[in-house]
Amino acid sequence: MTSRIRLAFALVLCSAGAWAQNPDWIERYRPTADKLIDAAMADTEGYDRLAYLCYRIGHRLSGSESLERAIAWSAEQMKAVGLANVRVIPAMVPHWVRGAESARMLAPVDKPLHMLGLGMSVGTPPGGITAEVVAVSDFAELEKLGRDKVAGKIVLYNEAYRGYGPTVSYRVYGAPRAAALGAAAVLVRSVTPLALQIPHTGMMVYEDAQPHIPAAAVSPEDAMMIARLCADGVPVKVHLEMGAHMEPDAQSGNVIGEIPGKEHPEEVVVIGGHIDSWDVGQGAQDDGASIIASLQALVLMKKLGLEPRRTIRVAFWVNEENGGRGGEAYRAWIGDGIKNQVAAIEMDGGAETPRGFGAMVDANSIELLRQAAHLLDRIGAGEITPGGGGEDIAPLMRDGVAGLGERTSGAHYFDWHHTEADTFDKVDLTDFRKNMAAMAVMGYLLADIPERLVATPVSGRRR
């Protein structure tokens, strides 16, 4: 037995912890990783596919005709590039319709407000709502005002951006908190660090125990103006009209395709993002670039003749934005096969400069990933941090699958997030290619290395 064969045999037998103690294994994969990176940095097909998705299909809200056209087109693309087992996994999705909407300040001055209704909000009664505004900066200030000062009013949450996680709760939960005190409607300062009179939509939820009241986002500038007037003791009156409503759930689905594994085809590494988007902009950064980069990662493997030990699957999940039903349908479709789901990588942070991956795995697996990620240092994507995943793979992660989330610089993502500005021109070609390379290299490695990552427990979902 040669020394090379003995080394390979030993690697198959060892655990992730043992692999982490023998980092020389990385060099076995460097030539393949470099080929994938080189191919990604020369690729033009992926960017062209993204342009088609954005410019010829456009935004893709669950329940919409444009989403279904995108799903059919995506399946055609997967078949055209030679992926195996291309299919659409059925999922029933909510069908929320925005309808006509507007907001206008009537006093102390008469001017239109820059607004977008929040996803899943109810509409106003016919003719709209006209009411005085009370402005608060947080939930504690709302509770301090009490029902006497809130009932019948429109509540404005003027929470300054402190990062997406800390700030988004006002968009998600602001309506039921205000409704509990008798508010007639809610306006929320858009969740963004950039003030350019652009409103940002997004998901909100109701509580069954509270009235369902209309909820809309306004631009940061409009929110700050109203809040300043209220602070100065100047009565502010706003007229809000929203035609938002729910239609019956619609039939839709997740799109998947595969490169079957050469040794363990029953074991699967899945990579992807969500095909749906909000009904504004083109869904370019959120999440069109991600699904196309993930598809193209498999295209590169096919072109290079790479066949990993395990099956690598690309998934375009549906209904991430306003329900998460695509991820749940995918988990249900897998059923008892969950034990063979080796890892899941979600890309849902835009396609700006990639930095690396966050991973919900144990300490030994983190160390293994950090060694592996050195293969991505040449494109600046070699960072591995604890914690990661995504909305679409959360159902898998809850049942023990190792989950990774690709991470980027995020320099401008929340400038465009959920707005009319999320368009193809915001996706830089070089950054897009680097993201494609990162997904290709990490996906291939996890599908080919003998050892499996060890997941850490997760629960719940981020809105």
Side-chain angles (χ1 to χ4, degrees):
M1 184 181 291
T2 67
S3 59
R4 179 172 294 180
I5 293 174
R6 282 196 298 270
L7 173 61
F9 184 69
L11 290 173
V12 170
L13 295 179
C14 66
S15 67
W19 271 57
Q21 301 302 316
N22 294 278
D24 289 346
W25 70 270
I26 300 170
E27 295 308 314
R28 297 173 54 215
Y29 285 98
R30 190 171 297 279
T32 299
D34 284 342
K35 287 178 182 178
L36 285 168
I37 293 171
D38 289 342
M41 298 310 293
D43 184 81
T44 59
E45 292 178 357
Y47 202 60
D48 289 343
R49 284 192 172 97
L50 180 59
Y52 187 101
L53 178 66
C54 293
Y55 285 160
R56 304 197 199 186
I57 297 177
H59 54 69
R60 306 168 295 279
L61 184 63
S62 289
S64 68
E65 184 273 337
S66 57
L67 173 63
E68 296 313 301
R69 285 197 293 118
I71 288 170
W73 173 81
S74 298
E76 291 172 0
Q77 294 299 300
M78 291 186 189
K79 291 175 182 177
V81 300
L83 297 189
N85 303 319
V86 176
R87 69 194 77 182
V88 177
I89 301 169
M92 296 300 293
V93 299
H95 186 186
W96 178 77
V97 178
R98 178 177 300 280
E101 58 183 18
S102 64
R104 189 172 194 91
M105 179 188 289
L106 303 179
V109 294
D110 186 350
K111 71 180 297 294
L113 301 175
H114 302 81
M115 65 83 75
L116 276 175
L118 297 182
M120 309 302 277
S121 174
V122 298
T124 60
I129 293 171
T130 300
E132 186 177 338
V133 178
V134 292
V136 298
S137 59
D138 54 32
F139 290 133
E141 190 173 346
L142 174 70
E143 296 299 324
K144 187 176 179 179
L145 284 177
R147 175 173 285 271
D148 287 347
K149 294 183 179 179
V150 172
K153 308 289 180 58
I154 296 174
V155 171
L156 167 70
Y157 291 101
N158 182 42
E159 170 69 0
Y161 186 81
R162 298 179 290 110
Y164 188 75
T167 312
V168 73
S169 60
Y170 296 94
R171 188 196 78 200
V172 177
Y173 304 111
R177 295 289 293 267
L181 297 176
V186 160
L187 299 176
V188 180
R189 176 170 168 169
S190 288
V191 185
T192 177
L194 182 66
L196 281 178
Q197 291 290 22
I198 299 175
H200 295 231
T201 190
M203 176 75 167
M204 55 83 63
V205 299
Y206 290 112
E207 295 176 2
D208 291 340
Q210 305 301 339
H212 294 189
I213 61 175
V218 293
S219 68
E221 294 94 331
D222 284 347
M224 288 186 280
M225 172 186 64
I226 294 171
R228 176 59 185 264
L229 289 167
C230 290
D232 289 345
V234 178
V236 176
K237 185 176 290 187
V238 164
H239 180 74
L240 178 68
E241 290 195 45
M242 294 172 59
H245 64 278
M246 296 296 300
E247 297 282 349
D249 285 356
Q251 178 69 54
S252 192
N254 305 308
V255 191
I256 66 168
E258 303 171 344
I259 298 175
K262 63 183 179 183
E263 293 181 12
H264 298 288
E266 76 284 1
E267 296 187 355
V268 177
V269 170
V270 62
I271 70 174
H274 61 88
I275 190 170
D276 64 305
S277 75
W278 284 108
D279 57 333
V280 291
Q282 298 164 356
Q285 289 280 357
D286 185 21
D287 198 27
S290 301
I291 59 174
I292 301 301
S294 298
L295 170 60
Q296 211 64 18
L298 269 67
V299 172
L300 299 180
M301 294 178 205
K302 290 280 292 183
K303 288 184 175 181
L304 293 171
L306 300 177
E307 295 180 279
R309 287 183 173 88
R310 303 181 181 93
T311 293
I312 184 162
R313 175 182 295 156
V314 62
F316 292 6
W317 287 284
V318 74
N319 188 228
E320 188 272 349
E321 293 292 5
N322 64 334
R325 295 191 192 172
E328 296 292 349
Y330 182 82
R331 171 63 187 92
W333 174 74
I334 289 170
D336 292 341
I338 190 71
K339 62 182 180 296
N340 286 321
Q341 300 297 300
V342 174
I345 309 176
E346 182 159 355
M347 181 179 170
D348 187 17
E352 294 179 272
T353 305
R355 294 293 185 232
F357 296 84
M360 288 295 292
V361 295
D362 70 2
N364 286 333
S365 297
I366 283 286
E367 181 57 31
L368 183 66
L369 288 171
R370 283 175 175 160
Q371 293 171 11
H374 285 307
L375 297 173
L376 294 169
D377 284 344
R378 59 178 283 203
I379 58 170
E383 296 178 3
I384 298 293
T385 55
E391 296 301 303
D392 297 301
I393 64 175
L396 301 178
M397 295 169 65
R398 287 197 298 267
D399 287 336
V401 178
L404 287 77
E406 199 234 21
R407 290 179 170 167
T408 73
S409 65
H412 297 288
Y413 182 70
F414 289 108
D415 298 348
W416 312 313
H417 186 248
H418 297 179
T419 74
E420 290 284 1
D422 185 7
T423 50
F424 175 72
D425 55 285
K426 306 304 189 305
V427 182
D428 176 79
L429 174 58
T430 299
D431 284 344
F432 177 74
R433 287 168 165 169
K434 289 180 179 179
N435 280 277
M436 186 194 313
M439 294 293 282
V441 171
M442 186 59 72
Y444 179 81
L445 282 173
L446 296 185
D448 196 69
I449 61 175
E451 201 51 54
R452 292 173 62 152
L453 303 177
V454 178
T456 52
V458 298
S459 61
R461 79 183 291 260
R462 173 186 58 78
R463 293 287 178 177

